[in-house]
Amino acid sequence: EAQVTQNPRYLITVTGKKLTVTCSQNMNHEYMSWYRQDPGLGLRQIYYSMNVEVTDKGDVPEGYKVSRKEKRNFPLILESPSPNQTSLYFCASSLDPGTNEKLFFGSGTQLSVL
Amino acid sequence: AQSVAQPEDQVNVAEGNPLTVKCTYSVSGNPYLFWYVQYPNRGLQFLLKYITGDNLVKGSYGFEAEFNKSQTSFHLKKPSALVSDSALYFCAVRQGGGNKLTFGTGTQLKVEL
């Protein structure tokens, strides 16, 4: 089954403790992206990747890191989480944004930073 | 900068009645427009898109959207709402030739019996 898999679904952590949210897709998609969803703000893009080893900042990249060493994986890293990073995070992928292919989304990761 | 506005936080409609969820956009050049739906505890799912051609676009689950260039709008519509349509709906825009997809803040649709 074609899917984007995020782990974990729920994560509670404390300020400053490094964490990684994993994202993997099995559709051989070129494009991958991370979004955060906050009430009243909709989805905001954190980082995106057009291909392996190619990443770029979205609208709200501060406090986040990403890497794209393999085509299927695009982990989101919070080196020193802070409470304002408490949010619902989504990973998404598509064949090629230039062709306006639809985005496939993971099920989300609810992160709470205490 | 490109942007999307969804002026209604919530839309309530009775089952069987037509529904409209509003979206307006701002972008340089030709817009590529999308609607996504989010059911509780799920990721977003693609509903439909407008790239070029006919201004009325048909999508999944009986939804359609009308592109209006003069009003810079892309409203989502359905002739007869179902309770199962209750969900959070997002409009998104991408500038032609660009990589960035910008989402609106979402509209909660509630369909009641």
Side-chain angles (χ1 to χ4, degrees), chain B residues 10-17 81-83 86 109-113:
Chain B
Q10 181 160 321
V11 170
N12 297 319
V13 64
E15 187 175 52
N17 283 359
L82 298 172
V83 171
S86 298
L109 173 67
K110 188 174 182 181
V111 182
E112 299 168 310
L113 290 170

Side-chain angles (χ1 to χ4, degrees), chain B:
Chain B
Q2 59 193 47
S3 64
V4 175
Q6 294 183 242
E8 302 155 317
D9 290 336
Q10 181 160 321
V11 170
N12 297 319
V13 64
E15 187 175 52
N17 283 359
L19 70 87
T20 298
V21 181
K22 295 179 181 177
C23 170
T24 59
Y25 66 90
S26 174
V27 70
S28 301
N30 294 325
Y32 298 152
L33 296 153
F34 304 81
W35 276 101
Y36 285 82
V37 59
Q38 184 181 29
Y39 298 102
N41 301 313
R42 301 287 297 276
L44 279 71
Q45 297 176 34
F46 172 82
L47 269 182
L48 52 80
K49 66 181 178 183
Y50 170 83
I51 305 302
T52 186
D54 194 348
N55 289 344
L56 185 64
V57 178
K58 294 188 184 298
S60 307
Y61 312 123
F63 283 93
E64 57 190 28
E66 186 168 13
F67 171 64
N68 187 316
K69 188 173 183 178
S70 63
Q71 296 186 4
T72 61
S73 67
F74 189 56
H75 300 332
L76 182 69
K77 301 181 180 184
K78 187 174 182 181
S80 179
L82 298 172
V83 171
S84 57
D85 292 330
S86 298
L88 185 58
Y89 290 81
F90 289 95
C91 183
V93 67
R94 189 170 81 78
Q95 177 183 347
N99 296 323
K100 182 179 170 60
L101 186 66
T102 299
F103 285 85
T105 53
T107 298
Q108 185 70 48
L109 173 67
K110 188 174 182 181
V111 182
E112 299 168 310
L113 290 170

Side-chain angles (χ1 to χ4, degrees), chain A residues 8 11-14 16-21 65 76-82 85 89 109 111-113:
Chain A
L11 180 57
I12 301 174
T13 189
V14 295
K17 186 175 181 180
K18 180 180 178 180
L19 66 90
T20 299
V21 183
K65 285 177 57 178
L76 180 69
I77 303 158
L78 284 70
E79 295 270 3
S80 182
S82 62
Q85 292 178 298
Y89 291 86
T109 297
L111 172 64
S112 296
V113 183

Side-chain angles (χ1 to χ4, degrees), chain A:
Chain A
E1 179 188 357
Q3 60 184 2
V4 178
T5 303
Q6 284 179 240
N7 281 297
R9 284 296 303 272
Y10 302 94
L11 180 57
I12 301 174
T13 189
V14 295
T15 300
K17 186 175 181 180
K18 180 180 178 180
L19 66 90
T20 299
V21 183
T22 63
C23 174
S24 180
Q25 50 92 5
N26 63 359
M27 295 168 280
N28 201 36
H29 282 170
E30 301 281 338
Y31 178 87
M32 298 185 75
S33 180
W34 277 102
Y35 294 88
R36 59 178 288 174
Q37 183 180 8
D38 301 289
L41 297 176
L43 270 77
R44 293 178 293 167
Q45 189 177 48
I46 303 170
Y47 270 94
Y48 65 95
S49 170
M50 299 294 289
N51 211 327
V52 175
E53 302 292 0
V54 180
T55 63
D56 209 346
K57 296 177 180 178
D59 294 318
V60 288
E62 295 78 19
Y64 304 94
K65 285 177 57 178
V66 293
S67 69
R68 188 92 180 272
K69 293 184 170 60
E70 304 166 282
K71 197 172 189 178
R72 64 182 292 125
N73 295 323
F74 190 44
L76 180 69
I77 303 158
L78 284 70
E79 295 270 3
S80 182
S82 62
N84 64 12
Q85 292 178 298
T86 292
S87 186
L88 179 58
Y89 291 86
F90 288 102
C91 181
S93 72
S94 72
L95 190 61
D96 177 359
T99 62
N100 293 300
E101 287 293 320
K102 63 184 179 184
L103 281 170
F104 289 81
F105 282 82
S107 297
T109 297
Q110 181 65 59
L111 172 64
S112 296
V113 183
L114 305 177

